Amino acid sequence: MSRVYNFSAGPAALPAEVMRRAQAEFRDCNGTGMSAMEMSHRSKAFIAIAEQAEADLRELLVIPANYKVLFLQGGATMQFGAIPLNLLRGKNTADYFRTGAWSEKAVKEAQRFCAVNLAVDTQAGNYTDIPDASEWKFSKDAAYVHYTPNETIHGVEFHDVPEAGDIPLVADMSSNILSRPIEVSKFGVIYAGAQKNIGPAGLCVVIIRDDLLGYMPEGYPSLLDYTAHAKAGSMLNTPPTYAWYFAGLVFQWLKDEGGIAAMEARNIQKSRKLYDFIDASDFYSNPVAKHCRSRMNVPFTLAKPELDKLFVEEADKAGLKNLEGHRSVGGMRASIYNAMPEAGVDALIAFMQEFEKRHG
Ligand code: PMP
């Protein structure tokens, strides 16, 4: 099999070591003679896998005991609706940061359930910056504050956790969870779709402070109720068992690699290399303000946009896959999550240099 580097934004490349281990265990997991995919979710063998995965995630993120960890389905998109339902707690306003395409979607979904105050809104500037905290406009009676620490499409990342006082802070960490240490106690809820830094699509991890449980109003499906999920140990119905197992392998890999601090060091190194190269060139550019550039998703444009298609095609032939930008913004985007080795970034930069020589 030829070696490729997959720069997809998600579902994204998974660590090669984890893929090999999953392959080795595919038909006989832990000596059971069964694939993890074939086990009853209530079996001893699967419960052991599920508990280990949760314990490893708790260790990696240093999750305090008063937080529940849920392994759910429905993706981050289902949480866009579940968050207001579970967290409004009788109030009717929530504060949102609209800083890119994903928070824009979260806002739209929340507006079905409550009044949304945009404490931060960078839509008019095409989501290329985050204003200083002195300009944020929180409302007086918000049930919670929601933000998207990393905007996967626009390549905008918060490098500090917003200060929301006593109001529960909710974060859609889909595209940067496990890429850097976080202080979980600063958050009321953290949620993340798995298909970038956790594992295969189909799983969404929700980390929720336990005093926020118990407020789901009547009249909604129980599958949207975090309290019901927490009580049932995420087994209210059949969970996405294989994705949960696979996430567990990724968590073990992260521990073997030195944990989240080691990942952060690598991610700083990889993203700095790529941004430095882009900034030094007249041919490539990145539109995002330097203080809030993403370490995970690096969008870039060419001085000659008519060459976008050729760039993506030639890169693909060179084994550099999925570099086209999101259909809503165009240009190119390199997603460089935990599983992308530095050699992949080096190969991309070498290709970009060579492409510029021929076309610049
Ligand atoms: N939030 C962010 C930040 C994302 O990047 C994505 C997916 N790319 C989503 C939400 C939506 O996730 P899902 O498709 O799993 O619902």
Side-chain angles (χ1 to χ4, degrees):
M1 193 178 66
S2 64
R3 180 71 206 248
V4 302
Y5 291 112
N6 176 9
F7 293 91
S8 168
L14 290 162
E17 295 86 343
V18 173
M19 296 297 273
R20 277 194 289 272
R21 175 154 170 211
Q23 185 175 37
E25 298 180 348
F26 190 61
R27 299 199 56 210
D28 182 7
C29 184
N30 300 335
T32 58
M34 283 179 278
S35 172
M37 196 185 299
E38 301 170 302
M39 294 174 183
S40 161
H41 58 299
R42 312 233 179 247
S43 66
K44 244 190 184 164
F46 186 77
I47 298 283
I49 289 170
E51 287 179 351
Q52 188 63 51
E54 179 175 335
D56 288 339
L57 181 61
R58 282 184 176 277
E59 186 182 326
L60 285 163
L61 290 178
V62 201
I63 301 176
N66 63 324
Y67 284 74
K68 294 277 189 280
V69 179
L70 310 177
F71 290 82
L72 308 181
Q73 306 194 37
T77 303
M78 195 157 93
Q79 316 321 317
F80 291 170
I83 290 291
L85 283 173
N86 285 268
L87 292 201
L88 280 169
R89 295 165 293 144
K91 300 195 176 200
N92 54 20
T93 305
D95 283 356
Y96 275 70
F97 286 29
R98 189 162 69 178
T99 55
W102 287 108
S103 48
E104 188 179 312
K105 288 206 160 93
V107 165
K108 274 202 185 124
E109 191 70 4
Q111 281 169 334
R112 304 178 59 192
F113 305 101
C114 64
V116 168
N117 168 57
L118 296 178
V120 174
D121 185 12
T122 61
Q123 190 181 49
N126 291 325
Y127 300 130
T128 49
D129 202 355
I130 298 171
D132 187 74
S134 60
E135 293 173 41
W136 302 351
K137 295 186 183 74
F138 293 112
S139 59
K140 285 207 176 58
D141 198 29
Y144 61 90
V145 175
H146 179 285
Y147 84 117
T148 307
N150 185 67
E151 287 282 358
T152 322
I153 292 174
H154 289 86
V156 173
E157 185 167 6
F158 286 76
H159 294 295
D160 296 298
V161 177
E163 189 49 67
D166 291 340
I167 316 279
L169 183 64
V170 179
D172 171 5
M173 260 183 220
S174 294
S175 51
N176 71 349
I177 194 165
L178 298 165
S179 71
R180 57 195 301 156
I182 48 166
E183 209 176 312
V184 174
S185 63
K186 289 189 170 169
F187 299 87
V189 182
I190 292 168
Y191 64 95
Q195 62 270 23
K196 296 131 184 354
N197 265 339
I198 297 178
L203 170 71
C204 185
V205 171
V206 176
I207 302 167
I208 180 164
R209 211 175 62 214
D210 55 17
D211 62 286
L212 296 170
L213 293 171
Y215 292 98
M216 180 78 170
E218 291 296 320
Y220 294 98
S222 50
L223 282 173
L224 290 168
D225 180 0
Y226 292 147
T227 311
H229 283 297
K231 275 191 189 140
S234 304
M235 297 210 186
L236 200 56
N237 69 330
T238 314
T241 50
Y242 195 75
W244 191 334
Y245 150 81
F246 204 103
L249 298 189
V250 172
F251 300 154
Q252 282 173 28
W253 173 78
L254 286 168
K255 283 171 59 177
D256 293 345
E257 295 293 303
I260 305 304
M263 279 303 129
E264 180 180 47
R266 282 189 208 175
N267 290 327
I268 289 173
Q269 165 76 359
K270 287 184 296 179
S271 55
R272 187 176 288 158
K273 255 192 184 175
L274 190 48
Y275 285 119
D276 282 352
F277 169 73
I278 290 170
D279 288 343
S281 137
D282 293 329
F283 189 69
Y284 300 100
S285 58
N286 170 281
V288 180
K290 284 191 182 165
H291 72 99
C292 57
R293 284 175 167 179
S294 169
R295 294 176 186 161
M296 298 282 98
N297 310 96
V298 181
F300 59 93
T301 53
L302 307 184
K304 298 177 183 167
E306 65 275 17
L307 295 180
D308 283 6
K309 202 164 160 257
L310 187 68
F311 181 95
V312 171
E313 275 168 19
E314 290 192 359
D316 184 86
K317 278 197 201 114
L320 307 170
K321 304 287 177 180
N322 294 313
L323 281 163
E324 60 275 21
H326 189 269
R327 58 189 188 282
S328 64
V329 294
M332 264 60 68
R333 172 177 50 165
S335 294
I336 50 174
Y337 300 114
N338 286 344
M340 175 61 65
E342 192 173 337
V345 173
D346 292 339
L348 174 60
I349 292 173
F351 172 81
M352 289 167 77
Q353 269 167 336
E354 189 262 337
F355 188 88
E356 180 177 354
K357 250 189 220 142
R358 282 188 287 122
H359 299 284

